[in-house]
Amino acid sequence: MSGLVARLRLTAPGAVVPVGAVLVALLVGAGVMLAAGVDPVRGYDAMVRGAIGVSSIDFSVASFTAILAMAMAFAVPARMGEYNLGGDGQLCVGGIAAAVVALHLPLPAPLLLPVCLLAAALAGAALAALSVPLATRAHVPVIISTLLLSTPAVALTSYLVRFPLAQQGSGVPQTPRLPDAAHLPSLPGTQYTNLGLLLVVLVLLVVVVLDGRTSLGYELRAVGANRSFARYGGISVPGLTLGALTTAGGIAGLAGAVVVTTQPFRFIDGALTAPGYTFAGVAAALLAGGRPALLPLTAALFTVLQVGSTGMERDIDLPRQLGQVLQAVVILVLALRTVAVAAAARRARRRVPERS
């Protein structure tokens, strides 16, 4: 018991800012509702019911699966101080790779789904890996290169689904329906929640163990804490960057495959980017401070904001964009904390020469 109390005393100060960020976001949302003439209690009640109500919980869990995966795709390289903002591109190339394999690769039925998932993970990993030589040889920051590579990747998948892979006779830019053997089995009593949830949770458990129980996780955190010191200690930073980014891209690609192999079992142009899985995942990872074990909690919070805002719009006619505003406020508060910490560090460095 005393150990638990001591542990809580150590972790409590670090939780103040994330919890404060959420409270500030809720207050801002309440202010917006009041300005719109809506009772905030009624508004937030509609948001929660829209996310975890009986009629919507199935879709919310499916969204949680994608957001949790994208949160991992950002958190893994963030542990070493690299930021993967190319989630949309990695998500889309993963989804299109799964669709191509399902529709055009003649495989026995038992092998089709595993190969789809593997191809998606490899496609996402390959796209993310392109940022490594750009960082190590051309000195382009990973946060820039992943973002810049994402846009043409999304555009390429949009072209493919509109022309070579398009379903003939359909007015919607989409592929034909994937064969039954490429469908992820749904969990009992659900339509959208399927084995993809268990798969993503399994990946999360692996990431948590690697992060907290292995030397690899220690090296990631060491590089994130002090890159020069880690390099001096013999850690291969380029190799670690390659491993972290390919892992992140692979997880994002896998998330794309999970979305495509779920209802309606096809790649639809814009269906992977429009819901904002990447943005919500980044926000969830930032709120968790990059700690993999906290990602389910923060991903659940942003799932409620994202899915619940749709229910809020339906029930009380308040625009769903309020959910995005709340997510942005959380990120803004966390960013202000980072700026404040950096400013404090600069002031501390200036004082050292003065004292010496």
Side-chain angles (χ1 to χ4, degrees), residues 257-270:
V258 169
V259 175
V260 169
T261 54
T262 302
Q263 286 276 10
F265 305 116
R266 61 180 83 223
F267 187 103
I268 303 173
D269 190 25

Side-chain angles (χ1 to χ4, degrees), residues 220-260:
L220 278 173
R221 296 194 302 276
V223 173
N226 191 320
R227 184 167 297 239
S228 299
F229 183 79
R231 189 180 288 115
Y232 182 76
I235 296 176
S236 172
V237 176
L240 211 57
T241 305
L242 178 62
L245 281 175
T246 52
T247 301
I251 295 172
L254 185 64
V258 169
V259 175
V260 169

Side-chain angles (χ1 to χ4, degrees), residues 65 184-185 187 193-202 254 258 262:
T65 303
L184 274 169
L187 298 183
T193 306
N194 53 33
L195 286 183
L197 172 64
L198 303 183
L199 190 62
V200 170
V201 170
L202 180 62
L254 185 64
V258 169
T262 302

Side-chain angles (χ1 to χ4, degrees), residues 22 31 49 59 64 79 84 95 99 170 173 211 214 217 230 233 247 294 312 314 317:
V22 174
R49 283 190 289 103
F59 184 75
F64 168 78
R79 294 296 265 172
N84 173 26
S170 172
D211 181 75
T214 67
T247 301
L294 296 180
M312 186 175 62
R314 180 183 62 242
D317 202 25

Side-chain angles (χ1 to χ4, degrees), residues 155-180:
L156 175 62
T157 60
S158 179
Y159 164 78
L160 291 174
V161 77
R162 287 173 181 272
F163 297 103
L165 301 175
Q167 182 182 27
Q168 299 301 317
S170 172
V172 178
Q174 60 184 10
T175 65
R177 180 184 167 94
L178 306 188
D180 291 347

Side-chain angles (χ1 to χ4, degrees), residues 98-345:
V100 169
V101 169
L103 293 170
H104 298 285
L105 198 61
L107 288 173
L111 292 180
L112 189 57
L113 182 58
V115 174
C116 285
L117 299 175
L118 179 61
L122 290 176
L127 178 60
L130 292 178
S131 295
V132 179
L134 292 174
T136 57
R137 298 179 183 277
H139 304 293
V140 179
V142 168
I143 191 173
I144 300 295
S145 60
T146 52
L147 184 61
L148 293 180
L149 287 169
S150 178
T151 302
V154 173
L156 175 62
T157 60
S158 179
Y159 164 78
L160 291 174
V161 77
R162 287 173 181 272
F163 297 103
L165 301 175
Q167 182 182 27
Q168 299 301 317
S170 172
V172 178
Q174 60 184 10
T175 65
R177 180 184 167 94
L178 306 188
D180 291 347
H183 297 180
L184 274 169
S186 297
L187 298 183
T190 66
Q191 184 178 10
Y192 296 101
T193 306
N194 53 33
L195 286 183
L197 172 64
L198 303 183
L199 190 62
V200 170
V201 170
L202 180 62
V203 174
L204 174 68
L205 292 176
V206 172
V207 170
V208 169
V209 171
L210 287 176
D211 181 75
R213 303 282 182 180
T214 67
S215 59
L216 182 62
Y218 171 77
E219 290 179 357
L220 278 173
R221 296 194 302 276
V223 173
N226 191 320
R227 184 167 297 239
S228 299
F229 183 79
R231 189 180 288 115
Y232 182 76
I235 296 176
S236 172
V237 176
L240 211 57
T241 305
L242 178 62
L245 281 175
T246 52
T247 301
I251 295 172
L254 185 64
V258 169
V259 175
V260 169
T261 54
T262 302
Q263 286 276 10
F265 305 116
R266 61 180 83 223
F267 187 103
I268 303 173
D269 190 25
L272 278 75
T273 54
Y277 297 134
T278 299
F279 182 71
V282 169
L286 289 174
L287 188 62
R291 300 177 184 86
L294 296 180
L295 293 180
L297 180 63
T298 56
L301 172 65
F302 282 95
T303 301
V304 170
L305 290 178
Q306 189 180 76
V307 180
S309 59
T310 303
M312 186 175 62
E313 183 180 60
R314 180 183 62 242
D315 293 346
I316 62 174
D317 202 25
L318 200 61
R320 70 181 67 182
Q321 284 74 17
L322 178 61
Q324 296 174 352
V325 171
L326 299 184
Q327 295 177 38
V329 170
V330 172
I331 294 177
L332 181 61
V333 173
L334 295 175
L336 290 175
R337 178 191 63 170
T338 303
V339 172
V341 170

Side-chain angles (χ1 to χ4, degrees), residues 339 341-351:
V339 172
V341 170
R346 284 196 299 272
R347 286 196 297 272
R349 284 196 294 270
R350 289 194 198 102
R351 291 194 192 103

